[in-house]
Amino acid sequence: MQQCAWDWQSTYPAPAKLNLFLHVVGRRADGYHLLQTAFRFVDHGDSLYFAPRDDGEIVLVNPLPGVPPESDLTVRAARLLQTETGCRQGAEIRVEKRLPMGGGLGGGSSDAATVLLALNHLWQTGLSRRRLQEIGLTLGADVPVFIFGQNAFAEGVGEALQPLDLPPAWYVVLETPVQVPTAAIFGVPELKRDSSAMHAADWRPGLGANDLQPVAVARFPVVAEYLAWLAAYGDARMTGSGACVFAEFANRDAAEDVLRKMPAGMRGWAAAGLARHPLFGIA
């Protein structure tokens, strides 16, 4: 999606991400896991809409069922931006959700990043992309990469980012009918936490695995079922801590051919890999 003049009437995209690999290479003293991963944006995700308010209030027009608005990452992101900049403007936020919760696609993090990018522009608060990444990290480890705006090799808890130049590709993504809680996966004793660290320059697409996948598969058999089905057509992997799984294909026709073979009741979609986040050029 290309758009030159972003304004209050624009539709602001919040794309999904895929973890092309995810290694746990250690653990900090505070308990946070040290990771290495490759983030890839894809052309499928949520859409956000904004309207100005002059009373300073942040109003989420369509809250998610079971999620209090004050806990929603979009509201928290907007309020953090107000606090950081002293901005007295407000906004209404409406989120058109397409990405599942607990799917490993970064939906909530992507929404929060889009709020920070969009309102920083609409309110003219003038924060640098780097500062927005620092604010985003307080909301979640995946938020910074969406603000960074480029496919990235990530280290640390996911915040140390180096841009990746990835070749064009299409992906089939299957949405398993479960939500996998990230904290539960990272808390399991048998999680592999000692993968050998690699240099970003040495990584290539197809290299590495997802260290979280064996844990998720053991606890959520349906994830294993979806992986097994997709593995008949490509290199099937889980993204993030689950529960969605994906495989890469050379072109749209190949990806859509796999979708046509999905059994009844299986949910999935095809999307092109993006070179950059659609809001990379916002100013």
Side-chain angles (χ1 to χ4, degrees), residues 36 153 155 162 164 198-204:
Q36 287 190 322
F153 188 95
E155 299 183 86
Q162 300 179 56
L164 277 178
M198 69 177 81
H199 294 290
D202 295 333
W203 181 81
R204 298 289 183 274

Side-chain angles (χ1 to χ4, degrees), residues 138-154:
T138 69
L139 295 167
D142 283 346
V143 178
V145 72
F146 291 103
I147 299 169
F148 183 68
Q150 301 176 74
N151 297 316
F153 188 95

Side-chain angles (χ1 to χ4, degrees), residues 1 13-17 40-46 98-99 169-171 269-276 278:
M1 176 178 176
K17 60 83 176 169
R40 174 116 213 210
F41 302 130
V42 297
D43 190 18
H44 181 89
D46 299 340
R98 297 184 187 89
L99 300 178
W170 276 76
Y171 299 89
W269 38 269
L274 296 173
R276 287 180 170 179

